[in-house]
Amino acid sequence: MTSEPPIVVIAGLRKRFGTFEVLQGIDFEIRRGEVVCILGPSGSGKTTLLRCINHLETIDGGLLEVDGEFIGYRRQGERLHELSPKEVARQRSKMGMVFQRFNLFPHMTALENVCIGPIVVRGEPASEVRARARELLVRVGLEDRLGAYPAQLSGGQQQRVAIARALALDPMLMLFDEPTSALDTELVGEVLSVMRELAESGMTMIVVTHEVAFARDVADRIIFMDGGLIVEQGTPQEVLMAPREARTQEFLAHVPGA
């Protein structure tokens, strides 16, 4: 991590679905190169938080900045105005997101899935993009599966293609939403291995996960959420080994490997 200004600034973030407030005032900052893992029970607001960061969900209050830009909106006086889809797409291109379900295009090969973003979003030359996409697929261990379609790949292989696709736009921030939750147990390790390599390379990462051992080994900081609030945050040693809050203690007591 560096002494540069935070790459992500979130202050007083609120999100409602109808009358239900999913996020009730979230505050944290992330610096370049930091790996933050978010733990918490289902329904605690973890996925909604990630979706707000890249404006897949609009926010109902607070501040959310990435790389100094207010995400999804521009401020005019005291009012906020939502950005155009084109402007939002430009902002999103700074962030790679890997979902629970792989969201690959079924009619495209692994190589084509990785190429699509830079070509469509940024209009980059196809020949340059294909060369970079090949390198990324090699990086995630799929050099022999470039021409395979998603249906011909295991779940772990599909998720590694999804990671390569997210990296193809050269993002400054990677968002992972329970990236191993849809995988069979024996496939989890191959995806976590790629994520460990990314963390070691200095990539800034926010990871919503139930993989406590991964969070313990890789995270610089762990955030525990419940009921739309940050209950506790700190180093893995602080949160996992000596949690201060009773709710954190209760949660970890029921998590295998915690």
Side-chain angles (χ1 to χ4, degrees), residues 138-233:
V138 170
R139 182 177 180 181
V140 299
L142 293 174
E143 58 273 14
D144 59 341
R145 306 297 280 159
L146 304 183
Y149 290 90
Q152 299 171 317
L153 300 172
S154 70
Q157 290 171 332
Q158 289 185 61
Q159 194 62 293
R160 284 186 280 156
V161 173
I163 293 172
R165 180 181 60 184
L167 291 171
L169 287 168
D170 193 24
M172 63 174 55
L173 171 67
M174 285 286 287
L175 308 174
F176 293 87
D177 182 18
E178 295 278 13
T180 61
S181 65
L183 301 179
D184 293 335
T185 303
E186 64 268 24
L187 302 177
V188 169
E190 63 189 62
V191 174
L192 293 181
S193 177
V194 173
M195 293 172 63
R196 288 175 190 271
E197 188 274 328
L198 281 179
E200 291 167 0
S201 74
M203 175 64 72
T204 311
M205 297 165 58
I206 305 176
V207 184
V208 169
T209 184
H210 62 276
E211 301 288 346
V212 175
F214 173 84
R216 181 190 62 225
D217 295 344
V218 175
D220 297 297
R221 181 158 40 111
I222 290 177
I223 292 174
F224 174 67
M225 289 182 63
D226 190 28
L229 297 167
I230 293 178
V231 176
E232 185 166 355
Q233 62 177 306

Side-chain angles (χ1 to χ4, degrees), residues 12-31:
L13 182 65
R14 294 184 176 273
K15 173 62 183 177
R16 292 187 304 274
F17 291 115
T19 59
F20 180 59
E21 195 165 33
V22 182
L23 301 176
Q24 301 183 41
I26 301 296
D27 300 278
F28 67 88
E29 297 179 351
I30 296 178
R31 297 191 176 277

